[in-house]
Amino acid sequence: MALIFHERVGLDGRRISPFSWRIRYALAHKELQPTVVPTRFADAARILKLSGQRFVPIIEHNEIVVHDSWAIACYLEDRFPESPTLFGCAIGRGSARMVNAWSDSVLARAMRPLVYADFMRCIDPDDRAYFRSSREAQLGMTLEKYSANPTASLASLFDVCAPLERTLSEQPFVAGSAPAYVDYVVFSVFQWARVGSPHDVLADSTKLPAVQAWRARMVTLYDDLGNRFALYPEEST
Amino acid sequence: MALIFHERVGLDGRRISPFSWRIRYALAHKELQPTVVPTRFADAARILKLSGQRFVPIIEHNEIVVHDSWAIACYLEDRFPESPTLFGCAIGRGSARMVNAWSDSVLARAMRPLVYADFMRCIDPDDRAYFRSSREAQLGMTLEKYSANPTASLASLFDVCAPLERTLSEQPFVAGSAPAYVDYVVFSVFQWARVGSPHDVLADSTKLPAVQAWRARMVTLYDDLGNRFALYPEEST
């Protein structure tokens, strides 16, 4: 079996993409050990040729090429049914799509202004001009302006995380008693913030204590997977 | 088997509680036909004596009394395993808790200002003074002031529903290809708005089209269950 994982990387091999992080955890969950192809934004031509679009993560499995993290998770689940399950059942998969949509449209949106101003330093120098110009075009403002009010942004993040905090105060993982794909999706956004900014969004222990404890559990899964790669660069980098 | 469902009712038997609605759908899903005990806010003394707290829905099953909609759903799932499943599997149940928390803390909060000013007319006349005083104490303002800006409230609802719209544009139900408890939870908030206000929050067909189509499917389930009871009273009532 040839399984290849094209994974987004940043400065000195840092893992800088929430979408790649959720697939990295999903692969570990399913006990799969792919060949990893580190992929910068600057490698878009290779990715385009491979998949017809510019984004990673991508899974190549024998002759099949799958892009889009949700499609990859479903592919892994369906093609490796003998491995531990990511969704549990059809209802688990359907509901995971809702959690996935919430993570990408609500949680990530709240997280971005807390990370974007710092994020440039954790990505490959060759990618910085592209990252800045593409994101500033989307935002209609500079990254610095977008990130100019961290106090308000943090309050917004706490507000947005209310249902997550409530869930995790009632059970140890989003999926219940053990982690599954819904956990990897939500965690990937927090992990992205750990890598992309020197400021811990969960530093205030009076806010989101259940999320904080869950994040610590998530980091240590699969032999401390959340700490396997360097986090935010030191000042001297 | 003696199964009793203490269900919130309003004016002339209207069903006015999102929490009772999700249990009514869950009972239909599990093909259970309980004896229904209509319960107004004014019946709190009976409920307190029965369950040690004041709220419905409550399920009485033989000698067991279960309150809180989430606990009831879990009870029904566990005690009637031969009936169609509400959660599908452990991961489905865990993830449903997240959807449940989102519905109650985010969706319902966005829906309330669109419903509260009108809501008084759909509840039992004996309950109106209690409803107004308890809700106004929680809100710190009159119901009318809370509902004074429907245009902004509707924009906020559309914003909050972004992950739901995205999910339902990809699959017919929140649970995937068929409805399950996550659908009943989310739908119950929309159904509450159908009963509690003469204004359709989904009247604008350019907004949330997938949610609108899903709501129509949900209403017609179980022999048109969403239309079995009267909706908002006519002006003459």
Side-chain angles (χ1 to χ4, degrees):
Chain A
M1 177 202 82
L3 185 66
I4 302 170
F5 173 32
H6 299 263
E7 182 180 29
R8 178 72 75 224
V9 297
L11 182 70
D12 299 333
R14 284 173 176 79
R15 264 48 182 180
I16 58 162
S17 159
F19 303 104
S20 286
W21 269 113
R22 63 188 70 169
I23 295 306
R24 183 166 269 278
Y25 269 74
L27 288 160
H29 181 107
K30 291 204 79 79
E31 300 168 354
L32 298 167
Q33 285 156 346
T35 303
V36 176
V37 181
T39 305
R40 302 165 305 153
F41 290 104
D43 302 319
R46 168 172 62 77
I47 296 302
L48 184 62
K49 186 174 175 189
L50 175 69
S51 70
Q53 55 85 57
R54 294 170 168 278
F55 301 103
V56 295
I58 288 174
I59 288 286
E60 269 187 277
H61 182 222
N62 302 327
E63 299 304 305
I64 297 166
V65 177
V66 186
H67 70 90
D68 178 84
S69 62
W70 177 259
I72 292 170
C74 291
Y75 181 84
L76 296 175
E77 182 75 347
D78 295 336
R79 288 301 301 265
F80 300 99
E82 71 285 5
S83 298
T85 177
L86 290 168
F87 300 121
C89 61
I91 294 174
R93 185 183 301 210
S95 305
R97 202 154 193 168
M98 175 72 186
V99 176
N100 198 85
W102 177 82
S103 290
D104 291 346
S105 69
V106 179
L107 178 62
R109 189 172 64 177
M111 196 70 85
R112 266 182 228 122
L114 292 160
V115 174
Y116 265 8
D118 298 315
F119 193 67
M120 296 289 286
R121 290 187 60 242
C122 81
I123 66 180
D124 190 279
D126 286 351
D127 284 347
R128 290 177 188 177
Y130 163 78
F131 182 83
R132 178 180 285 281
S133 64
S134 63
R135 298 316 188 262
E136 291 186 347
Q138 284 168 12
L139 297 170
M141 66 183 85
T142 65
L143 297 177
E144 289 71 17
K145 183 172 181 195
Y146 182 60
S147 295
N149 197 337
T151 305
S153 296
L154 207 53
S156 174
L157 179 72
F158 295 154
D159 185 53
V160 150
C161 286
L164 183 64
E165 176 68 16
R166 187 160 158 180
T167 302
L168 293 169
S169 68
E170 291 163 335
Q171 58 192 30
F173 294 98
V174 182
S177 58
Y181 193 64
V182 283
D183 291 275
Y184 309 142
V185 167
V186 179
F187 171 72
S188 73
V189 180
F190 286 95
Q191 177 71 355
W192 176 71
R194 289 181 78 222
V195 181
S197 167
H199 308 294
D200 183 0
V201 297
L202 300 179
D204 181 348
S205 63
T206 68
K207 304 288 187 182
L208 308 179
V211 174
Q212 195 173 45
W214 162 82
R215 187 185 64 169
R217 285 192 293 276
M218 293 299 297
V219 165
T220 61
L221 290 176
Y222 311 118
D223 288 326
D224 216 27
L225 181 51
N227 289 324
R228 186 166 309 166
F229 303 94
L231 296 179
Y232 199 74
E234 300 292 322
E235 276 304 323
S236 59
T237 305
Chain B
M1 175 201 84
L3 185 65
I4 302 170
F5 175 30
H6 299 262
E7 182 180 29
R8 178 72 76 223
V9 297
L11 183 69
D12 299 333
R14 284 173 176 78
R15 265 49 182 179
I16 58 162
S17 159
F19 304 104
S20 286
W21 269 112
R22 64 189 68 169
I23 295 306
R24 181 166 271 278
Y25 269 74
L27 288 160
H29 181 108
K30 292 204 77 80
E31 301 169 352
L32 298 167
Q33 285 156 347
T35 302
V36 176
V37 181
T39 304
R40 302 166 304 155
F41 292 104
D43 302 319
R46 168 171 64 76
I47 296 302
L48 184 62
K49 187 173 175 189
L50 175 69
S51 71
Q53 54 84 59
R54 295 171 168 274
F55 301 103
V56 294
I58 289 174
I59 289 286
E60 270 187 276
H61 182 221
N62 301 326
E63 299 303 305
I64 296 166
V65 176
V66 186
H67 69 90
D68 178 87
S69 62
W70 177 259
I72 291 169
C74 291
Y75 180 85
L76 296 175
E77 182 76 347
D78 294 336
R79 288 303 300 267
F80 301 99
E82 71 285 4
S83 297
T85 177
L86 290 169
F87 299 121
C89 61
I91 294 175
R93 186 184 301 211
S95 306
R97 202 155 193 167
M98 175 72 184
V99 176
N100 198 85
W102 177 81
S103 290
D104 290 347
S105 70
V106 179
L107 178 61
R109 188 173 62 176
M111 195 70 84
R112 266 182 226 122
L114 293 160
V115 173
Y116 265 8
D118 298 315
F119 194 66
M120 295 289 285
R121 292 187 58 242
C122 82
I123 65 180
D124 190 278
D126 286 352
D127 283 347
R128 291 177 187 177
Y130 162 79
F131 182 84
R132 177 179 286 281
S133 64
S134 63
R135 296 317 188 264
E136 292 186 346
Q138 284 167 13
L139 298 169
M141 66 183 85
T142 64
L143 297 178
E144 288 73 17
K145 184 173 180 194
Y146 181 60
S147 295
N149 197 337
T151 304
S153 297
L154 207 53
S156 174
L157 179 72
F158 295 155
D159 185 54
V160 151
C161 286
L164 183 64
E165 177 68 16
R166 187 160 158 179
T167 302
L168 293 169
S169 68
E170 291 163 333
Q171 57 192 31
F173 294 99
V174 181
S177 59
Y181 193 64
V182 282
D183 290 277
Y184 308 142
V185 167
V186 179
F187 172 71
S188 73
V189 180
F190 286 94
Q191 178 70 353
W192 176 72
R194 289 182 78 222
V195 181
S197 167
H199 307 294
D200 183 0
V201 297
L202 300 179
D204 181 348
S205 62
T206 68
K207 305 288 187 183
L208 307 180
V211 174
Q212 195 174 43
W214 162 82
R215 186 185 65 169
R217 286 192 291 276
M218 293 298 296
V219 164
T220 61
L221 290 175
Y222 310 119
D223 288 327
D224 215 27
L225 180 52
N227 288 324
R228 187 167 308 165
F229 303 95
L231 297 178
Y232 199 72
E234 300 290 323
E235 276 304 322
S236 59
T237 305

